[in-house]
């Protein structure tokens, strides 16, 4: 019987989901992106060759795998086409294997203009968005004025919806944000010029996924960002504009929750985040351990290139993610970054206003007041890169992994011991029933 797996980030994104999705795709016939836009980036290393993806699902790196962009995503057509062209120039067949939901809201130039102008107006209080128009596009969706992919197939309908939206948004740009308006004619002409290339990709993704599953296909659902960036459950307002948690795989792709069988949480063995917002276990990345994590871990954003903030592993944060996602198991990534450290710390809880708590608060204002409580463990000197068997890891590394599992209350299914596809250690394969 077919088995479906969801891969979600459990921290603030950048956990290494792309590599894990690519590795798991060996057992899947279809890979689905169910939320986010081209603000998310997945970096894959296959045979030493690095590829950065933004919109196209990571399964595209496996020949013959079908790839789907679900209705929960917001779509910048120019960025999608540029990504397709880049992949196909590298010899990867994309067009025949990629389908996009007719219900995806479009990201248009005025969304980008709004995003940039708002961040500028906020000044030092800015949220730290990628400036790619993601938030404003989701706002239009919720306000029921989004222009969707299907509208591109009806030029007259598209033109009228575009005019109404641009009259409204240009008024805000000029009169509230003090920014230049966006050209209606250029936006219309540029969008319609792309229709011939986009039309063959448009599909009813819900029907396509249900049909594939009924025919025996294993499906892999690929989340973007991380659980603590979820618009409802993250460190609001320092979050993204979509639901990143596993439950949105159903709503964001048009399948029933009963079709989701295994939820794999991807977790760095330390913690990072990009942009503003509270971060209890954060370290100074200019010195000491913080600098080690930043430099050895090469912690720079896939899409933005921004340096990531780094800190010790936070088990209390992971407890919150395990709760939010209903995690079946964990995949630990970047274990090799800790090689050579004398001592490793784990945040096991916090002091907040004189009280001790053992789970990440649901309110960002409370997170700001959290003082981390650390537990120390001995590190290891040996090199873990490329280790294929758990028992071949240094004993202290094994102890660290066991302690993470114990603190979070979830089994460790996989451990990534390097960036390459093959540098993966498997304890329980998500696509196989326990004991198989």
């Amino acid at each position: 019987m077919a088995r479906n797996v969801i891969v979600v980030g459990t921290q603030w994104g950048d956990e290494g989901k792309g590599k894990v999705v690519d590795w798991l795709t060996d057992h899947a016939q279809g890979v689905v992106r169910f939320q986010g836009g081209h603000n998310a980036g997945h970096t894959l290393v296959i045979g030493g060759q690095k590829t950065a993806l933004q919109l196209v699902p990571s399964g595209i790196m496996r020949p013959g795998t079908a790839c789907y962009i679900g209705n929960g995503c917001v779509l910048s057509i120019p960025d999608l086409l540029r990504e397709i062209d880049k992949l196909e120039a590298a010899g990867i067949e994309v067009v025949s294997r990629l389908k996009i939901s007719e219900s995806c809201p479009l990201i248009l130039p005025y969304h980008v203009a709004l995003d940039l102008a708002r961040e500028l107006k906020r000044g030092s209080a800015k949220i730290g968005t990628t400036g790619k128009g993601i938030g404003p596009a989701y706002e239009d969706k919720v306000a029921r004025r989004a222009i969707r992919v299907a509208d591109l197939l009806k030029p007259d309908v598209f033109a009228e919806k575009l005019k109404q939206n641009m009259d409204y948004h240009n008024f805000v740009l000029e009169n509230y944000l003090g920014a230049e308006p966006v050209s209606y004619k250029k936006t219309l002409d540029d969008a319609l010029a792309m229709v011939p290339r986009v039309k063959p990709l448009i599909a009813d993704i819900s029907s396509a996924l249900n049909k594939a599953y009924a025919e025996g296909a294993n499906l892999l659902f690929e989340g973007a960002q991380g659980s603590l960036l979820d618009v409802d459950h993250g460190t609001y307002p320092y979050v993204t504009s979509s639901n990143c948690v596993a439950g949105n795989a159903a709503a964001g792709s048009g399948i029933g929750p009963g079709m989701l069988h295994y939820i794999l949480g991807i977790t760095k063995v330390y913690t990072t985040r990009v942009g503003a917002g509270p971060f209890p276990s954060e370290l100074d990345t200019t010195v000491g351990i913080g600098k080690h994590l930043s430099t050895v871990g090469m912690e720079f954003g896939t899409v933005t290139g921004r340096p990531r903030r780094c800190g010790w592993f936070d088990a209390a944060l992971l407890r919150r993610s395990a709760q939010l996602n209903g995690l079946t198991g964990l995949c630990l990534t970047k274990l090799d970054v800790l090689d050579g450290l004398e001592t490793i710390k784990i945040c096991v809880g916090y002091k907040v206003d004189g009280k001790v708590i053992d789970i990440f608060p649901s309110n960002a204002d409370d997170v700001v007041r959290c003082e981390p409580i650390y537990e120390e463990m001995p590190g290891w000197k040996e090199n873990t890169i490329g280790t294929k068997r758990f028992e071949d890891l240094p004993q202290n590394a094994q102890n660290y992994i066991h302690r993470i599992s114990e603190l979070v209350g979830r089994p460790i299914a996989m451990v990534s011991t390097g960036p390459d596809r093959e540098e993966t250690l498997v304890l329980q394969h998500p696509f196989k029933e326990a004991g198989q």
Side-chain angles (χ1 to χ4, degrees):
M1 184 176 176
R3 184 170 168 86
N4 302 327
V5 173
I6 312 171
V7 170
V8 291
T10 58
Q11 296 158 313
W12 282 291
D14 309 308
E15 299 94 350
K17 296 180 291 296
K19 174 202 165 168
V20 178
V21 169
D22 168 67
W23 192 90
L24 287 171
T25 303
D26 191 36
H27 286 72
Q29 289 72 54
V31 179
V32 189
R33 262 287 296 274
F34 60 84
Q35 50 80 214
H38 63 300
N39 57 335
H42 290 163
T43 301
L44 312 179
V45 181
I46 301 166
Q49 180 71 35
K50 184 182 288 187
T51 302
L53 300 172
Q54 290 178 259
L55 276 166
V56 177
S58 300
I60 205 69
M61 304 305 290
R62 293 277 186 178
T65 302
C67 291
Y68 308 87
I69 297 177
N71 58 277
C73 298
V74 287
L75 202 59
S76 167
I77 298 296
D79 285 281
L80 175 64
L81 295 179
R82 277 193 288 270
E83 189 170 342
I84 290 172
D85 290 343
K86 186 176 179 180
L87 288 166
E88 296 207 325
I92 300 164
E93 172 55 33
V94 179
V95 172
S96 66
R97 298 162 52 203
L98 178 66
K99 294 298 179 185
I100 61 178
S101 172
E102 58 195 356
S103 300
C104 285
L106 294 172
I107 300 173
L108 292 157
Y110 52 86
H111 293 124
V112 178
L114 286 164
D115 202 351
L116 294 172
R118 285 176 182 169
E119 285 287 86
L120 185 64
K121 189 177 180 69
R122 289 187 184 109
S124 61
K126 66 182 179 181
I127 291 170
T129 76
T130 56
K132 295 180 179 291
I134 310 296
Y138 274 114
E139 287 173 38
D140 274 0
K141 172 182 176 176
V142 175
R144 293 171 292 188
R145 58 172 170 257
I147 300 175
R148 307 205 290 183
V149 167
D151 294 322
L152 288 170
L153 304 180
K154 301 174 182 177
D156 291 344
V157 171
F158 178 83
E160 181 55 33
K161 287 186 176 181
L162 184 68
K163 184 162 192 324
Q164 291 177 13
N165 275 10
M166 292 194 70
D167 283 349
Y168 171 70
H169 288 308
N170 274 334
F171 179 85
V172 173
L173 280 167
E174 288 185 274
N175 295 283
Y176 178 66
L177 296 171
E180 290 295 315
V182 176
S183 167
Y184 168 74
K185 186 176 188 309
K186 180 171 177 19
T187 302
L188 177 63
D189 292 346
D190 288 350
L192 294 181
M194 292 182 285
V195 171
R197 290 194 63 189
V198 175
K199 189 174 181 179
L201 305 177
I202 301 173
D204 177 346
I205 296 299
S206 174
S207 292
L209 294 177
N210 278 275
K211 182 174 184 290
Y213 177 65
E215 293 173 351
N218 288 338
L219 300 174
L220 185 57
F221 293 80
E222 175 183 22
Q225 288 97 25
S227 301
L228 273 298
L229 290 175
D230 185 278
V231 69
D232 287 308
H233 302 290
T235 47
Y236 191 91
Y238 301 101
V239 293
T240 193
S241 300
S242 60
N243 289 110
C244 313
V245 294
N248 194 38
S253 59
I255 54 99
M259 283 172 59
L260 305 173
H261 305 123
Y262 189 104
I263 303 167
L264 182 67
I266 314 303
T267 305
K268 273 180 187 165
V269 294
Y270 51 99
T271 310
T272 66
R273 82 172 295 174
V274 172
F279 183 172
S281 67
E282 183 172 12
L283 297 168
D284 182 347
T285 55
T286 64
V287 295
I289 300 298
K291 185 175 183 180
H292 172 94
L293 297 176
S294 178
T295 55
V296 177
M298 295 182 287
E299 294 297 351
F300 298 91
T302 301
V303 174
T304 63
R306 291 184 292 180
R308 297 176 186 138
R309 300 156 63 192
C310 300
W312 291 116
F313 181 82
D314 190 335
L317 183 153
L318 259 292
R319 288 191 196 100
R320 176 66 68 181
S321 283
Q323 176 179 287
L324 292 173
N325 291 290
L327 297 179
T328 313
L330 292 170
C331 171
L332 302 182
T333 64
K334 293 205 167 185
L335 181 69
D336 54 292
V337 175
L338 301 184
D339 292 355
L341 295 182
E342 290 282 349
T343 303
I344 297 169
K345 292 184 180 182
I346 301 176
C347 175
V348 295
Y350 319 104
K351 288 182 181 177
V352 184
D353 301 332
K355 296 180 180 179
V356 174
I357 60 173
D358 66 357
I359 192 168
F360 193 84
S362 60
N363 187 314
D365 291 337
D366 293 332
V367 179
V368 172
R369 303 197 309 280
C370 284
E371 299 175 38
I373 299 170
Y374 288 115
E375 179 180 292
E376 291 191 1
M377 297 187 71
W380 55 91
K381 295 294 185 183
E382 302 93 327
N383 188 334
T384 63
I385 293 178
T387 305
K388 295 294 197 310
R389 299 192 313 159
F390 185 80
E391 55 267 31
D392 291 338
L393 289 171
Q395 186 59 53
N396 285 348
Q398 293 182 40
N399 295 343
Y400 182 66
I401 291 167
H402 284 310
R403 185 59 177 147
I404 287 174
S405 176
E406 183 178 42
L407 287 167
V408 179
R410 294 294 189 277
I412 307 300
M414 300 168 65
V415 181
S416 173
T417 56
D420 199 276
R421 174 190 280 174
E422 301 308 318
E423 294 170 331
T424 307
L425 186 159
V426 183
L427 295 152
Q428 172 58 52
H429 201 299
F431 273 112
K432 297 177 182 178
E433 296 284 357
Q436 284 188 304

